[in-house]
Amino acid sequence: MSLRNVAIIAHVDHGKTTLVDQLFRQSGTFRDNQRIEERAMDSNDLEKERGITILAKCTSIEWDGGAGESTRINIVDTPGHADFGGEVERILSMVDGVILLVDSSEGAMPQTKFVTGKALALGLKPIVVVNKIDRADERTQEVLDEVFDLFVSLDATDEQLDFPVLFASGRNGYASDDPTAREGTLEPLFKKIVEHVPAPSADPDGPFKFLVTLLDRDNFLGRILTGLVFSGTVKTNMPIHALDPDGNVVETGRASKLMAFRGLERVPVDEAKAGDIISIAGLTTATVANTIADPSVSEPLHAQPIDPPTLSMRFAVNDSPMAGREGTKVTSRMIRDRLAREAESNVAIKVTESEDKDSFEVAGRGELQLGVLIETMRREGFELGISRPRVLFRDGENGREEPYETVVIDVDDEHSGTVVEKMSVRKAEMTDMRPSGGGKTRITFSAPSRGLIGYHGEFLSDTRGTGIMNRLFEKYGPYKGNIEGRANGVLISNGAGEANAYALGPLEERGVLMVGVGEALYEGMIIGQNAKTEDLEVNPMKSKQLTNFRASGKDDAIRLTPPWKMTLEQAIAYIDDDELVEVTPKSIRLRKRHLDPHERKKANRAKAA
């Protein structure tokens, strides 16, 4: 049986996970009567809810091309979002070819550029699939030209520029050389993979070598290491050792269990040969980027370097008056152990402990990546206090440097002026502006990451929810100076108790409320946004004094506007430097870092001095 290892790369929402579903069905991986979930590869709850791929996953299908010999195709579904790029870079070292999927209407987007650049730099040859050709607003030929221009801008070789093209609809399960086709099967895609992607160039006769690219845990087997066998053969219970990238022996042990991918399942196998993508259990400290090898091997395999983190947040023990009421994991030791596990398996995250041992600085690729980590911990029962994200500066040749992002915005023509104005306030420079059809304009900016924190909500309001913003780490560039933060102050509760309708009614005139009637409050908790720039302490618990006197008419029934309930990402982006987000399994609350008003004044005076 011949073997092919291929990765599918695409921008968020361009349909790669749906296409993999159809490849499963048409290769006979699922029985005809087998009930299978839509987007089967997105196994994580958060992936299903958000409709995005967060964790890279391996799978395998067998295809019989009709010539008698079947081919096993190992497919890796990669995350489309740049925040999870730590996964992508490692994954690409396991495969020999890539399928680049682009939407027939949206075309080549920033995240497409990110992953494709990594693939081309590794010398992988792409197969381009223009997906969703049955869309009413498809512009297939223009999109193909955009992809070619993208490859040229990424310094693709002549061989890489001579890429095969297929036109497909992943949802309807067909692919064709003809862009006008509207029915058929995915047979042409299977053929292109077998013809165009080379077989693994592994050494079957050398000593066993295996590079770890993914790490996960199993309650029964412990640490499971997934990667590609670069040379030799490994058998169950064979003695092995792990080498770090510098060649030092990390640990020795045995390959107690070998597992290969068959469809969506990981099944035990007795041996694996060069070129196979497998999982190994039996080691306790080996991690991502380590080389697992025969004890005679002393030279490690080259591991792909990872782009540095650009954003950090402070994860602290929840010290609010309501701490410990909703979560089960509230101590610094539990938080430390959980973050250490995360940093172990996710190489794009760096964790450092503060001197007071009660908080941890967690650095990552972006707000979405850290937001997903916080949401995952919250669902596991953790309570946390999260600070405002801050970018990580570095010292360059010309002084202080900060991270920049390429921002591509698709917006209705009528809103383009507002967007350009708001982005210029955030020190962004416009690099391109062109019509993108259907009364929309595509604007490209180079913007400091610092200025984009908290802008997405405002952007959606400015564009009436119709704008689409995509961001991608670009470079470290010169420090842009002071960027104005949030324009509005906040309403702060001056005591503890329950929110009262009689008190909230007049407060609505002061700004936008974030709490409803009957909600438990504490001193220093943020209950709303002030219409003015300064913070305002208010009493949201004040009730009406009851007397024996009757009003001449009935008291007007107090009608309150529904409170503004933020999602986790919105809350993290909204808060200022002196505020925290209190995250528990059931609630997301905003609060001041110093709950006592005297402490706040003292901190403000110290900051001003």
Side-chain angles (χ1 to χ4, degrees), residues 387-587:
S387 74
R388 175 179 167 81
R390 62 180 188 85
V391 299
L392 299 173
F393 299 105
R394 74 176 190 188
D395 292 324
E397 293 177 9
N398 302 315
R400 197 182 198 190
E401 291 184 341
E402 65 177 320
Y404 281 65
E405 296 185 31
T406 300
V407 185
V408 179
I409 290 175
D410 283 300
V411 68
D412 291 342
D413 295 343
E414 61 190 287
H415 302 308
S416 57
T418 309
V419 169
V420 171
E421 183 187 339
K422 290 286 178 75
M423 289 294 282
S424 64
V425 170
R426 288 169 167 74
K427 305 287 177 81
E429 291 178 14
M430 186 165 68
T431 56
D432 187 33
M433 187 174 185
R434 63 175 71 172
S436 57
K440 286 189 174 289
T441 302
R442 178 169 289 183
I443 316 170
T444 308
F445 296 94
S446 175
S449 304
R450 197 164 39 104
L452 296 171
I453 295 172
Y455 174 55
H456 195 253
E458 193 178 329
F459 166 75
L460 289 176
S461 301
D462 290 343
T463 60
R464 307 286 188 273
T466 59
I468 299 171
M469 178 196 288
N470 289 288
R471 296 161 50 175
L472 170 66
F473 174 72
E474 180 187 340
K475 62 178 182 183
Y476 266 89
Y479 178 64
K480 282 274 191 174
N482 185 45
I483 296 176
E484 287 182 26
R486 190 178 66 206
N488 297 74
V490 289
L491 303 176
I492 307 163
S493 173
N494 66 0
E498 282 190 2
N500 188 299
Y502 179 76
L504 294 180
L507 289 179
E508 277 206 326
E509 298 167 18
R510 299 277 191 170
V512 182
L513 295 179
M514 299 176 188
V515 296
V517 177
E519 275 191 48
L521 310 176
Y522 54 81
E523 186 180 28
M525 181 172 158
I526 295 171
I527 63 146
Q529 176 177 278
N530 192 4
K532 296 183 178 177
T533 54
E534 67 273 1
D535 293 346
L536 186 65
E537 287 184 40
V538 295
N539 181 2
M541 289 129 334
K542 182 173 64 177
S543 57
K544 188 176 182 183
Q545 295 299 316
L546 301 178
T547 68
N548 280 335
F549 291 98
R550 298 286 180 267
S552 57
K554 285 185 179 176
D555 284 343
D556 292 331
I558 298 170
R559 296 195 172 198
L560 296 172
T561 309
W564 175 21
K565 292 294 182 187
M566 293 190 187
T567 63
L568 178 61
E569 270 95 6
Q570 286 173 335
I572 290 168
Y574 179 82
I575 57 172
D576 226 329
D577 292 332
D578 65 335
E579 296 163 1
L580 297 174
V581 180
E582 181 189 348
V583 178
T584 72
K586 295 179 183 173
S587 311

Side-chain angles (χ1 to χ4, degrees), residues 236-276:
T236 308
N237 280 329
M238 184 175 123
I240 51 176
H241 70 182
L243 302 168
D244 66 16
D246 298 323
N248 303 314
V249 176
V250 178
E251 70 170 315
T252 56
R254 289 183 177 274
S256 61
K257 191 134 190 171
L258 301 178
M259 289 166 286
F261 295 90
R262 300 289 182 265
L264 287 170
E265 303 297 318
R266 244 192 316 222
V267 298
V269 291
D270 292 327
E271 72 169 16
K273 295 186 172 66
D276 284 338

Side-chain angles (χ1 to χ4, degrees), residues 49-115:
E49 287 170 27
R50 292 166 183 253
I52 61 172
T53 301
I54 293 170
L55 303 169
K57 291 171 217 68
C58 303
T59 185
S60 167
I61 54 179
E62 277 185 36
W63 179 69
D64 182 2
E69 188 190 11
S70 60
T71 303
R72 170 162 293 122
I73 303 171
N74 287 321
I75 298 177
V76 185
D77 187 11
T78 61
H81 204 287
D83 277 19
F84 308 106
E87 295 274 330
V88 173
E89 293 161 42
R90 302 194 312 273
I91 283 297
L92 292 175
S93 65
M94 289 202 298
V95 298
D96 304 291
V98 293
I99 298 170
L100 172 62
L101 205 64
V102 287
D103 188 295
S104 66
S105 171
E106 293 182 10
M109 299 292 272
Q111 269 85 10
T112 317
K113 180 179 177 182
F114 169 78
V115 188

